[in-house]
Amino acid sequence: MLDLFEGEAPWQEPLADGAVVLRRFALAEAGALMEGIAQVSEQSPFRHMVTPGGHTMSVAMTNCGTLGWATDQRGYLYAGRDPRTGEPWPAMPAAFRALSDAASAAAGYAGFAPDACLINRYAPGAKLSLHQDKDEPDLRAPIVSVSLGLPAVFQFGGLRRNDPLKRLLLEHGDVVVWGGPSRLFYHGIQPLKPGVHPLTGEYRYNLTFRAAGKNDYK
Ligand code: SIN
Ligand code: FE2
């Protein structure tokens, strides 16, 4: 078992009220998660979405699960079908759901049942501007965010856009969970620095698990 962790056992770092970083938590499952990303993106390819403001996002995205997040000139929405293929979003791979279940439980959110997983792919220079995850109807459920591949600087602030930001490097296998009092905290990713990672090549991937439809989370 121990060698699965490549010598490094996971540890936790508190981030804010209701938010925690589970360092290296996904390391042992990273290969299976990358296989899942390959399967999903074969069916629903990565694409650069265009925001309502007409800005083409630098991060490439796809989704799996019963709902997927998308944006276009008309707005932001969760929908059951990939607008690009016209087909339902690919099912959430079992390894994804297992990781989300373990991480949410470790962070104190046992019972979180995500129905959507947004997959972000960052090439060098790609970034995600400061934003809130607020398109989900039920804000009692947390967000579980898994980082794979090249490291990136994550910014985590507060409820107001101009609240002070914490900056932390998210590395391969790190998981951030935020919910409760920090569920609507502003966050973002600074432009990715170029590099090569043995598992993901020239990219960083991020999975965010969300409850985007009706759910029983308490
Ligand atoms: C997100 O805010 O949806 C993704 C954050 C990340 O890529 O770590
Ligand atoms: Fe987000």
Side-chain angles (χ1 to χ4, degrees), residues 142-161:
I143 300 284
V144 172
S145 162
V146 180
S147 293
L148 297 167
L150 292 179
V153 178
F154 181 59
Q155 303 170 314
F156 198 75
L159 282 175
R160 287 165 310 199
R161 184 177 283 281

Side-chain angles (χ1 to χ4, degrees), residues 32 62-63 71 103 109 111 143 149 162-163 168-169 177:
T62 185
N63 290 273
T71 178
Y109 295 102
I143 300 284
N162 54 5
D163 281 337
L168 48 150
L169 192 69
V177 183

